[in-house]
Amino acid sequence: MKAVVWQAPGHIDVEEVPDARIEQPGDAVVRLTMSAICGTDLHMVRGTMPDMVAGTVLGHEGVGVVEAVGKDVRGFKPGDRVVIPSTICCGICSYCRAGYNSQCDNANPNGPAAGTCFFGGPRSTGPVNGLQATFARVPYAAANLIPLPDAVTDEQAIVLSDIYPTGWFSAQCAEVSHGDTVAVFGCGPVGQLAIASAWRLGAGRVIAVDNVASRLEMARSQHAEPVDFGAEDPVATIVELTGGIGTDRVIDAVGVDAYPGPDEQHGERREGEVAEAAGGGVTAWAHGTAPSQAAQWAVESVAKAGSIGIIGVYPPTARTWPIGAAMNKNLTVKMGNCPHRVIIPQLMDLVASGVSEPAQLITQLKPIGDVLAAYRTFDTHEPGWVKVALAPTA
Ligand SMILES: [Zn+2]
């Protein structure tokens, strides 16, 4: 089968590899009809995500058709259309049963304390071969396949695999409720869906902060109020727009990419860059000694007694966050890797009924053979490139 394979920092390739197959009785094999490139994948291409294992298939977003099931998989059969959640859970342990699927005890082969398990990640996350391929092995398939109704297209479903649930989870973490004024830092695909989710949860106003014009324009098309941090002081602007109070809720959809640290040392970071935060990724990038710019702005722009939701990815080694300022404002802060499994079904209903149309975020659909060029172009924040879907069988 064809797959996008990580070989070394900065070196990925489309290769012919052995077909994914059933290895455990709980496995399924899915023939992928759509995959996608996520901001997290870029860190592997850039070489800023350490501990990748050579030969790992990349990608953690996938939609497809069940090709085969192990003998313990009773709820699905070959031919079923499914979406695959980015983070992998067992469906058995107490965390999975409580809805903390991204903190599953069993899915990560490195043990219960090893952290979130997801497709196509570094050694510490499994590794489990990813979804930018013709076929994928899905472990614990009873818990990690979600059926797709006919009314939901592949383009809609690929957004449900990771970024829409992550955007929704960010608004939940920020405790968005009726009438709230919400600031969203980072307007990549996840940030756009955080904006949509904030509206859906009853926000009264949404302010969107980024410095990429096309992303701010997309935020405006959702009727968020764009703030360009490249042209104005975002904190002062937010304070002014909110009558001197600040926003009730802040969503940090940026994470580690806003650190003023290691990427600059490597000469790779572009001035003023705020890159896409990815869902479902625990990684171990090096980081600076100062809090991320997004974290500082979040704490400064939120109202007293407000709340902050963090889904932008921070490395486990990060030790810095503006805790003093937050404590003295009586803030509530919630964060984490999205528990995709528990969120996807409720969003499926919104998409299937036409209430929500996330597929408009997909601006490119590329055959897998064009993936290397697609990675490069996506990495440069080319205007108009918001979300890149891949056709694995093309
Ligand atoms: Zn579990």
Side-chain angles (χ1 to χ4, degrees):
M1 67 176 191
K2 274 197 165 49
V4 181
V5 178
W6 188 94
Q7 289 298 1
H11 175 200
I12 59 170
D13 253 324
V14 180
E15 294 181 10
E16 200 61 42
V17 300
D19 282 356
R21 58 184 181 83
I22 303 287
E23 295 175 14
Q24 299 289 332
D27 290 352
V29 170
V30 172
R31 177 174 56 81
L32 291 150
T33 52
M34 193 164 287
S35 185
I37 301 176
C38 180
T40 305
D41 299 328
L42 294 177
H43 287 279
M44 307 177 198
V45 178
R46 294 175 189 157
T48 43
M49 182 182 287
D51 208 25
M52 285 294 294
V53 178
T56 300
V57 177
L58 291 175
H60 56 260
E61 297 172 82
V63 175
V65 177
V66 174
E67 182 81 6
V69 294
K71 71 173 180 59
D72 288 354
V73 181
R74 296 175 181 232
F76 289 88
K77 66 180 192 313
D80 288 342
R81 282 182 76 226
V82 292
V83 56
I84 305 170
S86 295
T87 51
I88 305 170
C89 65
C90 76
I92 297 165
C93 73
S94 61
Y95 285 92
C96 282
R97 293 182 192 203
Y100 293 103
N101 303 79
S102 54
Q103 295 299 330
C104 173
D105 274 342
N106 297 316
N108 192 327
N110 300 299
T116 304
C117 180
F118 67 97
F119 289 97
R123 188 188 311 271
S124 60
T125 68
V128 179
N129 274 331
L131 307 177
Q132 290 169 4
T134 313
F135 296 101
R137 180 180 79 91
V138 178
Y140 301 103
N144 295 303
L145 298 177
I146 297 178
L148 272 181
D150 290 341
V152 176
T153 65
D154 280 6
E155 285 82 356
Q156 293 170 320
I158 195 65
V159 177
L160 289 167
S161 183
D162 181 19
I163 61 175
Y164 194 6
T166 301
W168 186 266
F169 182 61
S170 77
Q172 285 184 320
C173 284
E175 301 186 332
V176 175
S177 184
H178 290 278
D180 287 343
T181 295
V182 182
V184 176
F185 284 88
C187 298
V190 172
Q192 298 294 336
L193 289 160
I195 292 168
S197 300
W199 286 130
R200 192 75 209 142
L201 288 166
R205 289 174 71 189
V206 180
I207 297 170
V209 186
D210 205 300
N211 72 335
V212 178
S214 58
R215 292 177 167 193
L216 290 170
E217 200 45 56
M218 186 174 268
R220 196 202 312 271
S221 75
Q222 297 197 70
H223 308 291
E225 300 165 50
V227 172
D228 180 351
F229 72 78
E232 53 194 334
D233 177 339
V235 175
T237 304
I238 287 170
V239 168
E240 188 188 339
L241 285 170
T242 54
I245 296 169
T247 61
D248 305 294
R249 318 290 164 214
V250 170
I251 293 169
D252 174 356
V254 179
V256 69
D257 282 327
Y259 273 120
D263 285 355
E264 281 180 341
Q265 291 163 23
H266 291 121
E268 292 167 358
R269 186 169 176 274
R270 291 173 294 281
E271 191 61 37
E273 176 189 30
V274 171
E276 170 56 17
V282 172
T283 56
W285 296 294
H287 60 89
T289 53
S292 85
Q293 183 65 74
Q296 294 189 58
W297 284 342
V299 171
E300 289 170 16
S301 57
V302 73
K304 293 184 292 182
S307 50
I308 298 175
I310 305 171
I311 51 82
V313 178
Y314 287 86
T317 47
R319 294 280 189 275
T320 52
W321 201 81
I323 188 168
M327 183 272 165
N328 283 291
K329 289 177 82 169
N330 284 44
L331 301 187
T332 299
V333 185
K334 293 185 182 178
M335 65 195 97
N337 292 316
C338 179
H340 297 91
R341 179 63 186 85
V342 77
I343 293 177
I344 291 171
Q346 51 188 311
L347 299 182
M348 185 82 74
D349 291 344
L350 292 180
V351 172
S353 63
V355 168
S356 183
E357 182 40 282
Q360 61 200 5
L361 280 175
I362 297 177
T363 49
Q364 272 74 31
L365 175 59
K366 299 289 183 185
I368 197 168
D370 291 353
V371 71
L372 301 184
Y375 263 98
R376 277 194 295 271
T377 309
F378 185 49
D379 198 13
T380 62
H381 289 187
E382 180 96 349
W385 282 57
V386 178
K387 183 68 180 176
V388 184
L390 297 174
T393 50

